[in-house]
Amino acid sequence: MSSKLNATITKETPKSIHLEINKETFEAFCDAAGLYRAEFLKLLDQSEEDHKKVRTTKRKSLSELLD
């Protein structure tokens, strides 16, 4: 079943776009973005375990992960 994803751009800068997604289509958005994939969910579980065991690294930005 396909659902139309309505999102409104509320702000746009050279580096970012801010979207507003309504509650009715939020689940469809998460599915389209891949947030329900098994690999992604496994990474979340691993991250939670690392956090519980205090195996964390402080980051200033998520872009540090791409370096």
Side-chain angles (χ1 to χ4, degrees), residues 5-66:
L5 299 177
N6 291 327
T8 304
I9 296 176
T10 58
K11 182 178 179 183
E12 189 171 354
T13 68
K15 291 187 176 185
S16 66
I17 297 174
H18 297 252
L19 298 176
E20 184 172 310
I21 301 163
N22 65 33
K23 292 177 184 178
E24 290 77 28
T25 60
F26 180 70
E27 188 171 347
F29 171 80
C30 290
D31 187 39
L35 300 180
Y36 294 134
R37 289 188 334 237
E39 299 87 14
F40 181 76
L41 296 175
K42 183 178 177 183
L43 284 173
L44 286 179
D45 289 340
Q46 289 173 347
S47 177
E48 186 175 9
E49 284 299 314
D50 287 342
H51 181 73
K52 286 179 183 176
K53 294 178 181 178
V54 194
R55 293 186 303 215
T56 60
T57 303
K58 291 194 178 208
R59 305 265 184 214
K60 293 180 183 177
S61 170
L62 289 176
S63 64
E64 292 179 19
L65 299 174
L66 302 174

